Amino acid sequence: MIGKAGVKRFLLSALIPFLVLVAWQLAVTNGLASRQMFPPPTSILGDFYDMLKSGELTHHLGISVLRAMVGFLIGGGLGLLFGLLNGLYRRTEELLDPTIQMLRTVPLLAITPLFILWFGFGELSKVLLIAMGAFFPLYVNSFLGVRNVDSKLFDVARVLEFSRFHQLTKVVMPAAMPNILLGMRLSLSTAWLCLVVAELMGADQGIGYLIQDARSYMRTGVVFVGIIIFAVVGKLTDSLVRVLESRLLQWRDSYKG
Amino acid sequence: MTAEALEISQLSKTFRTADKATHVLDNVQLSLKKQEFVSIIGPSGCGKSTLLKIAAGLDVDYEGLVQLDGIDVSGPSKEKGFIFQEHRLFPWATVEKNIAADLSLKNPEVRQKVDEMIELVRLQGFEKAYPKQLSGGMAQRVAIARALVRNPQVLLLDEPFGALDAFTRNHMQESLLDIWRQNKTSMLLVTHDIDEAIFLSNRVVVMDARPGRIKAIIPVDLPYPRNRVSASFQQLRTQVLSALDHVEEEGNSYEI
């Protein structure tokens, strides 16, 4: 699958990051930048290797991923459920949607202190914060997905006498799938963002804690490792959903650029 | 059991808006015998599509009697297969899954029937294709297979080949005849193509607009397969054309 063209494309996209790293390394080793503030890439790599070997990194990463996943499953799951429900039934939409839209405008960062007040610094407040962040993108997009279903296909479902269940599984869900998957991607990235916020606010485990702890001891290299881990895992989960997208949506006949 | 598959009598329909009422259908009488092929032709606005929707149970706001095999039509059902002008396949499902629709292909009985239908509409080799990979004619054949796999008593077709090019349309008419000969399902076809109506049907129903009513019913006694350029075919075409042109006396309805 990855042919000569693929390698060429990869090299091209890696060119700028590579040049930046080389310039950084040279600048620090030649004394142009402070070693304390900008540890050279080779020393960051060394920190990364040490943390990996001691098992410190995998331990904290595992904790963070678990928090993000639980939060995403609760928040995203509820978002999907309510999105489908309100998309399907005008009555529940009228009942629930205005309240949900109102809550959506509240900045998450602003309610973090409240969550800590109510639920303390424990896991509950973190998971709830992540769940709240993950709720809205999936809610909005699955709602939109249901409302975008071609009503002509509902006529077909009537003529073929689909049961209510089959209308949902054979018409609504597949038709709304592009939007649901988009919502999933946005929810996952929001969940990851909320995780960082939750762990920086106060935690004794997790990648966020690792960064906060390293900052207080001026271990700038470890701060960089934490940031890079956040970026890499975020990108990986996004790619995972995109793979899912290309599998589930191969039927689509749209412009591919 | 009656000999009529579909019985429509004294059917009227009025569209009401705030300030006026439009008669779409006025006292329409039509019956479709078992295994019969009837076409409805008429100018746009004559209510032929509305008539078909009422027969399908998709439109239940009317006055009069509509019965399928002696039972009142109260809503859409598999007994009345419906082919829309566009194929309306599910874009996310393959050809075989579109035909099966809500039935499971894991059921060997369903599997066998779906395979038979694919053979009937000559789409072997395309079982796993998605609708986007099919031509317009092929997609419409899948739609026909999807209706026929449910053993309908009557197949209602709403200008099914209207969007196809002339060459594909001729080809589709031949395959529809082929399907009809093998399957013996009663067919009620709405079309705006005179040749199509004469080529396919046992009887051609000519409708008049505003209000929509039946103006003439012309039997077509030519043997199948019909020759589109034969003299008798031309003669029937003239007959249908003049029926379309003539405005006969008001209130005329035809009993069959």
Side-chain angles (χ1 to χ4, degrees), chain B residues 105-140:
Chain B
L105 281 168
K106 290 192 187 97
N107 179 342
E109 239 172 86
V110 174
R111 176 82 253 177
Q112 196 197 338
K113 281 216 75 178
V114 168
D115 287 341
E116 278 170 27
M117 282 304 144
I118 287 173
E119 206 180 312
L120 182 69
V121 299
R122 299 186 192 285
L123 279 168
Q124 299 102 310
F126 290 93
E127 291 88 346
K128 304 265 190 276
Y130 284 98
K132 68 171 178 182
Q133 296 163 304
L134 304 177
S135 69
M138 286 159 87
Q140 201 57 288

Coordinates of all heavy atoms in Angstrom, one line a residue, chain B residues 105-140:
Chain B
L105 N -29.9 -11.8 4.9 CA -29.4 -12.7 3.8 C -28.8 -14.0 4.4 O -28.5 -14.9 3.7 CB -28.3 -12.0 3.1 CG -28.7 -11.0 2.0 CD1 -27.6 -10.1 1.6 CD2 -29.3 -11.7 0.8
K106 N -28.7 -14.0 5.8 CA -28.2 -15.3 6.4 C -29.3 -16.3 6.4 O -29.0 -17.5 6.5 CB -27.8 -14.9 7.9 CG -26.5 -14.1 7.9 CD -25.9 -14.0 9.3 CE -24.8 -13.1 9.4 NZ -25.2 -11.7 9.9
N107 N -30.5 -15.9 6.2 CA -31.6 -16.9 6.1 C -31.5 -17.5 4.7 O -31.6 -16.8 3.7 CB -32.9 -16.1 6.3 CG -34.2 -17.0 6.1 OD1 -34.1 -18.1 5.6 ND2 -35.3 -16.5 6.6
P108 N -31.4 -18.8 4.6 CA -31.2 -19.4 3.3 C -32.3 -19.2 2.3 O -32.1 -19.1 1.1 CB -31.0 -20.9 3.6 CG -31.4 -21.1 5.1 CD -31.3 -19.8 5.7
E109 N -33.5 -19.1 2.9 CA -34.7 -18.9 2.0 C -34.6 -17.5 1.4 O -34.9 -17.4 0.2 CB -36.0 -18.9 2.9 CG -37.0 -20.0 2.5 CD -38.1 -20.0 3.5 OE1 -39.0 -19.3 3.4 OE2 -38.0 -20.9 4.4
V110 N -34.2 -16.5 2.2 CA -34.1 -15.1 1.6 C -33.0 -15.1 0.6 O -33.1 -14.6 -0.5 CB -33.8 -14.1 2.8 CG1 -33.5 -12.8 2.2 CG2 -35.0 -14.1 3.8
R111 N -31.8 -15.7 1.0 CA -30.7 -15.8 0.1 C -31.1 -16.3 -1.3 O -30.7 -15.7 -2.3 CB -29.6 -16.7 0.8 CG -28.4 -17.0 0.0 CD -27.4 -15.8 0.2 NE -27.3 -15.1 -1.0 CZ -26.6 -14.0 -1.2 NH1 -25.9 -13.5 -0.2 NH2 -26.5 -13.4 -2.3
Q112 N -31.8 -17.4 -1.2 CA -32.2 -18.0 -2.5 C -33.1 -17.1 -3.3 O -32.9 -17.0 -4.5 CB -32.9 -19.4 -2.2 CG -33.0 -20.3 -3.4 CD -34.0 -21.4 -3.2 OE1 -34.4 -21.7 -2.1 NE2 -34.5 -21.9 -4.3
K113 N -34.1 -16.5 -2.6 CA -35.0 -15.6 -3.4 C -34.3 -14.4 -3.9 O -34.5 -14.0 -5.1 CB -36.1 -15.1 -2.4 CG -37.2 -16.1 -2.2 CD -38.6 -15.5 -2.1 CE -39.1 -15.0 -3.4 NZ -40.4 -14.4 -3.4
V114 N -33.4 -13.8 -3.1 CA -32.6 -12.7 -3.6 C -31.8 -13.1 -4.8 O -31.7 -12.4 -5.8 CB -31.7 -12.1 -2.5 CG1 -30.7 -11.1 -3.0 CG2 -32.6 -11.5 -1.4
D115 N -31.1 -14.3 -4.8 CA -30.3 -14.7 -5.9 C -31.2 -14.9 -7.2 O -30.8 -14.6 -8.3 CB -29.6 -16.0 -5.6 CG -28.4 -15.8 -4.6 OD1 -28.0 -14.6 -4.5 OD2 -28.0 -16.7 -3.9
E116 N -32.4 -15.5 -6.9 CA -33.3 -15.6 -8.1 C -33.7 -14.3 -8.7 O -33.7 -14.2 -9.9 CB -34.6 -16.3 -7.6 CG -34.6 -17.8 -7.5 CD -35.8 -18.4 -6.8 OE1 -36.9 -17.7 -6.8 OE2 -35.7 -19.4 -6.1
M117 N -33.9 -13.3 -7.8 CA -34.3 -12.0 -8.3 C -33.2 -11.3 -9.1 O -33.4 -10.7 -10.1 CB -34.7 -11.1 -7.2 CG -36.1 -11.3 -6.7 SD -37.3 -11.2 -8.0 CE -38.4 -12.5 -7.6
I118 N -31.9 -11.5 -8.6 CA -30.8 -10.9 -9.2 C -30.6 -11.6 -10.6 O -30.3 -10.9 -11.6 CB -29.5 -11.2 -8.4 CG1 -29.5 -10.2 -7.2 CG2 -28.2 -10.9 -9.2 CD1 -28.4 -10.5 -6.2
E119 N -31.0 -12.8 -10.7 CA -30.9 -13.5 -12.0 C -32.0 -13.0 -12.9 O -31.8 -12.7 -14.1 CB -31.1 -15.0 -11.8 CG -30.4 -15.8 -12.9 CD -30.6 -17.3 -12.7 OE1 -30.4 -17.8 -11.5 OE2 -31.0 -18.0 -13.6
L120 N -33.2 -12.8 -12.3 CA -34.4 -12.3 -13.1 C -34.1 -10.9 -13.7 O -34.4 -10.7 -14.9 CB -35.6 -12.2 -12.2 CG -36.9 -11.8 -12.9 CD1 -37.4 -12.8 -13.8 CD2 -38.0 -11.5 -11.8
V121 N -33.5 -10.0 -13.0 CA -33.2 -8.7 -13.5 C -31.8 -8.6 -14.1 O -31.3 -7.5 -14.4 CB -33.4 -7.6 -12.4 CG1 -34.8 -7.6 -11.9 CG2 -32.4 -7.8 -11.2
R122 N -31.2 -9.8 -14.3 CA -29.9 -9.9 -15.0 C -28.8 -9.0 -14.4 O -28.2 -8.2 -15.1 CB -30.1 -9.6 -16.5 CG -31.0 -10.6 -17.1 CD -31.1 -10.4 -18.6 NE -32.2 -11.1 -19.2 CZ -32.2 -12.5 -19.3 NH1 -31.2 -13.2 -19.0 NH2 -33.3 -13.1 -19.8
L123 N -28.6 -9.2 -13.1 CA -27.5 -8.4 -12.5 C -26.5 -9.3 -11.8 O -25.8 -8.9 -10.9 CB -28.1 -7.5 -11.4 CG -28.7 -6.2 -12.0 CD1 -29.5 -5.4 -11.0 CD2 -27.6 -5.3 -12.6
Q124 N -26.4 -10.6 -12.3 CA -25.4 -11.5 -11.8 C -24.0 -10.8 -11.9 O -23.7 -10.3 -12.9 CB -25.4 -12.8 -12.5 CG -26.7 -13.6 -12.4 CD -27.5 -13.5 -13.7 OE1 -27.7 -12.4 -14.2 NE2 -27.9 -14.6 -14.2
G125 N -23.2 -11.0 -10.9 CA -21.8 -10.4 -10.9 C -21.8 -9.0 -10.2 O -20.8 -8.5 -10.0
F126 N -23.0 -8.4 -10.0 CA -23.1 -7.1 -9.3 C -23.6 -7.2 -7.9 O -24.0 -6.2 -7.3 CB -23.9 -6.2 -10.2 CG -23.3 -5.8 -11.5 CD1 -23.5 -6.5 -12.6 CD2 -22.4 -4.7 -11.5 CE1 -22.9 -6.1 -13.8 CE2 -21.8 -4.4 -12.7 CZ -22.0 -5.1 -13.9
E127 N -23.7 -8.4 -7.4 CA -24.3 -8.6 -6.0 C -23.7 -7.7 -5.0 O -24.3 -7.1 -4.1 CB -24.2 -10.0 -5.6 CG -25.0 -11.0 -6.3 CD -24.3 -11.6 -7.6 OE1 -23.3 -11.0 -8.0 OE2 -24.8 -12.6 -8.1
K128 N -22.3 -7.5 -5.1 CA -21.6 -6.8 -4.0 C -21.3 -5.3 -4.4 O -20.5 -4.6 -3.7 CB -20.3 -7.5 -3.7 CG -20.4 -9.0 -3.4 CD -20.5 -9.1 -1.9 CE -20.4 -10.6 -1.5 NZ -21.7 -11.3 -1.5
A129 N -21.9 -4.9 -5.5 CA -21.6 -3.5 -6.0 C -22.5 -2.5 -5.2 O -23.6 -2.8 -4.7 CB -21.9 -3.4 -7.5
Y130 N -22.0 -1.3 -5.0 CA -22.7 -0.2 -4.4 C -23.5 0.6 -5.4 O -23.1 0.6 -6.6 CB -21.8 0.7 -3.6 CG -21.3 0.1 -2.3 CD1 -20.0 -0.5 -2.2 CD2 -22.1 0.2 -1.2 CE1 -19.6 -1.0 -1.0 CE2 -21.7 -0.4 0.0 CZ -20.4 -1.0 0.1 OH -20.0 -1.5 1.2
P131 N -24.7 1.2 -5.0 CA -25.4 1.9 -6.0 C -24.6 2.9 -6.8 O -24.9 3.1 -8.0 CB -26.5 2.6 -5.1 CG -26.7 1.7 -4.0 CD -25.3 1.1 -3.7
K132 N -23.6 3.6 -6.2 CA -22.9 4.6 -7.0 C -22.1 4.0 -8.1 O -21.7 4.7 -9.1 CB -21.9 5.3 -6.0 CG -20.8 4.4 -5.5 CD -19.7 5.2 -4.7 CE -18.6 4.3 -4.2 NZ -17.6 4.9 -3.4
Q133 N -21.9 2.6 -8.1 CA -21.2 2.0 -9.2 C -22.1 1.5 -10.3 O -21.6 0.9 -11.3 CB -20.4 0.8 -8.6 CG -19.3 1.2 -7.6 CD -18.9 0.0 -6.7 OE1 -19.7 -0.6 -6.1 NE2 -17.6 -0.2 -6.8
L134 N -23.4 1.7 -10.1 CA -24.4 1.2 -11.1 C -24.8 2.3 -12.1 O -24.8 3.5 -11.7 CB -25.6 0.6 -10.4 CG -25.4 -0.5 -9.4 CD1 -26.8 -0.8 -8.8 CD2 -24.8 -1.7 -10.0
S135 N -25.2 1.9 -13.3 CA -25.8 2.9 -14.2 C -27.3 3.1 -13.8 O -27.8 2.3 -13.0 CB -25.8 2.3 -15.6 OG -26.6 1.2 -15.7
G136 N -27.9 4.1 -14.4 CA -29.3 4.4 -14.0 C -30.2 3.2 -14.2 O -31.1 2.9 -13.4
G137 N -30.1 2.5 -15.4 CA -30.9 1.4 -15.7 C -30.7 0.2 -14.8 O -31.7 -0.4 -14.3
M138 N -29.4 0.0 -14.4 CA -29.2 -1.1 -13.5 C -29.8 -0.9 -12.1 O -30.3 -1.7 -11.5 CB -27.6 -1.3 -13.4 CG -27.0 -2.0 -14.6 SD -25.2 -1.6 -14.6 CE -24.6 -3.0 -13.6
A139 N -29.6 0.4 -11.7 CA -30.1 0.8 -10.3 C -31.6 0.6 -10.3 O -32.2 0.1 -9.3 CB -29.7 2.2 -10.0
Q140 N -32.3 1.0 -11.4 CA -33.8 0.8 -11.4 C -34.2 -0.7 -11.4 O -35.2 -1.0 -10.9 CB -34.3 1.6 -12.7 CG -35.8 2.0 -12.6 CD -36.2 2.8 -11.4 OE1 -36.2 2.3 -10.3 NE2 -36.4 4.1 -11.6

